[in-house]
Amino acid sequence: MVWVNALIQGILVGGFYALFACGLSLLFGVMGIINLAHGDLAVIAAFVALTLAPAAHVPMVWSFVLVVPLFALGGYVLQRTLLQASLNRSPFTTLLVTFGLSVVIENVLLEVFTSNGQSLNIGTLIADSFNPTTTISVPYLSLVVLVVAVVVLGSLQLFLSRTRTGRMIRAVADDREAAQLSGANYQHLFGIAAAIAFATVALAGLAYGMYTEFSFDAGTANLLFAFEAVVIGGIGSLWGTLVGGIVLGIAQQVGGQINPAYQILAGHLVFLAVLVVRPRGLFGVRAAA
Amino acid sequence: MAPLLQLSGLQKRFGEVRIADGLDLELEQGAAVGIVGPNGAGKTSLFGLISGDLRPDGGDVRLDGRAVNRLDAASRCRLGLGRTYQVPRPFEGLTVFENVLLAAQQGAGTRGRESHAVALSSLDRTRLSPDANRPAGSLGLLARKRLELARALATRPRLLLLDEVAGGLTDPEVRELVEIVRAANAEGMTVLWIEHVVRALVATVSRLVCLAGGTFVADGPPQEVLESDAVRAIYLGSTVAVAT
């Protein structure tokens, strides 16, 4: 039964990884930007909620109503300014710029919020769970996050495949110049893609802040898990990112069941195994271009 | 009435290579004009300058009397400028229909049913309808060339820039293509066509220009241009007698 529980916990935490990795996958898939500041953005979202929600008298569980639109707007603006400017130079520049952004964000957060651990207080919801047997426990918060991850990734997939804007985003991802010749303004579309990516990373950051204590430097460690989820699932596939997150989550929980010290290691090993056996990932459409 | 396309004093150089050295050209509405010239003369770069992929070092590009120098390729497309690439560049992850639909929506600014109608008609014209739901990445060369043309047609351009659409095709395929372009021209679409397959050009255009060394060394009716000394010198491989 402990193994069944490990599997269930793995799927639940995998939902969080997928939600977290979604924006990373999108930025890389559409613009070819590897956003090294992705994890730090999530931490900013948590800090913003920490500050804004009490000030606006909004219960913490509803803080996404404030934070997500703010992040979408911020994503659009950042893409049209800093990120676009670095893209115009070279893909390598975006790597340096987002790395620099990550350093700046962490230090500003340290300056403003000190190095104290914080958490987003959601009252008793943090401890409430559904317990079908004595060994299996499904925390409601984790379940909600998993559902949110599936809904976000699913609607994003639908958006990209069925709508006019989604189709254009896929076209500019494919060939920016040729898309321009069909009348598509790629800079605006990149902005929209970044807005979506930032909105999802805000959700992930809030979920993270509700789960656990966070401080200014929590982003970097989480960035690694997001990367692993994207690579395991396959670059360019959103469903792949969901599966990648869940595979990573299960590997960690099962590893942790064997020996608590193996939890993180087991995730890394599965990640390496996927790289060796199937470098394009489980659902990768093609090798990274 | 202003000419549909007017180039005046267009300048562009890449290092020491001048691909446009004060180019002047006027295209009347409804014209069909061919461009020939030796490899590396800068024919494709000239299209880049007109469509907005490249920035000129000097001079003007005017569409319908309006200077478009400051507009990017997407805005020029919406003003009625369509272009095909020499090496087709379909959106490989989209289906053939989606490729064309996107052009109809963005380039031609259509919505809803109208965009579907425009997309379907340009697939029909280029005989791609049977392949409409295939991913564009799975198409062979001929179909890719057709898709390139279909996508340009779906933006409903007033001026269509064709870059070697006949290259690498068999004779019957070239004839079919010439028919498509002639039909579009007959409906009033202005055509500017770079082509090495000269018989395809001669069958379609009423005027031919030859680009070499950054200038138009010949301009006139196709037969006259092909028989002119300047063009013969280039195509027979002797020293290019071009003023520099």
Side-chain angles (χ1 to χ4, degrees), chain A residues 160-187 189 285-286, chain B residues 51 53 72-74 77-78 81 83-85 89-94 98-99 101-103 105-107 109-112 151 155:
Chain A
L160 288 176
S161 57
R162 295 290 165 80
T163 68
R164 174 179 176 150
T165 310
R167 205 178 297 120
M168 288 192 314
I169 288 177
R170 283 188 292 144
V172 291
D174 222 336
D175 189 330
R176 206 182 300 175
E177 269 187 17
Q180 284 229 292
L181 284 191
S182 295
N185 178 347
Y186 80 90
Q187 297 198 355
L189 291 165
V285 211
R286 58 193 162 183
Chain B
S51 69
D53 279 354
D72 66 8
C77 170
R78 292 193 284 267
L81 206 149
R83 176 191 179 181
T84 68
Y85 282 105
R89 292 165 73 166
F91 305 122
E92 305 210 344
L94 276 63
E98 285 179 321
N99 264 271
L101 180 64
L102 186 131
Q105 289 176 331
Q106 285 314 112
T110 59
R111 297 195 160 269
R151 212 167 55 179
T155 65

Side-chain angles (χ1 to χ4, degrees), chain A residues 129-145:
Chain A
S129 61
F130 162 68
N131 301 297
T133 72
T134 49
T135 45
I136 295 177
S137 160
V138 180
Y140 288 130
L141 178 62
S142 303
L143 198 60
V144 168
V145 170

Side-chain angles (χ1 to χ4, degrees), chain A residues 259-286:
Chain A
N259 181 334
Y262 292 164
Q263 185 173 351
I264 305 297
L265 181 68
H268 293 336
L269 287 178
V270 167
F271 165 70
L272 284 177
V274 169
L275 269 188
V276 171
V277 178
R278 205 176 153 84
R280 64 199 173 99
L282 300 176
F283 290 80
V285 211
R286 58 193 162 183

Side-chain angles (χ1 to χ4, degrees), chain B residues 215-235:
Chain B
T215 53
F216 291 121
V217 294
D219 184 348
Q223 283 308 328
E224 242 171 66
V225 167
L226 290 175
E227 284 162 13
S228 71
D229 291 340
V231 174
R232 287 192 160 208
I234 290 164
Y235 278 91

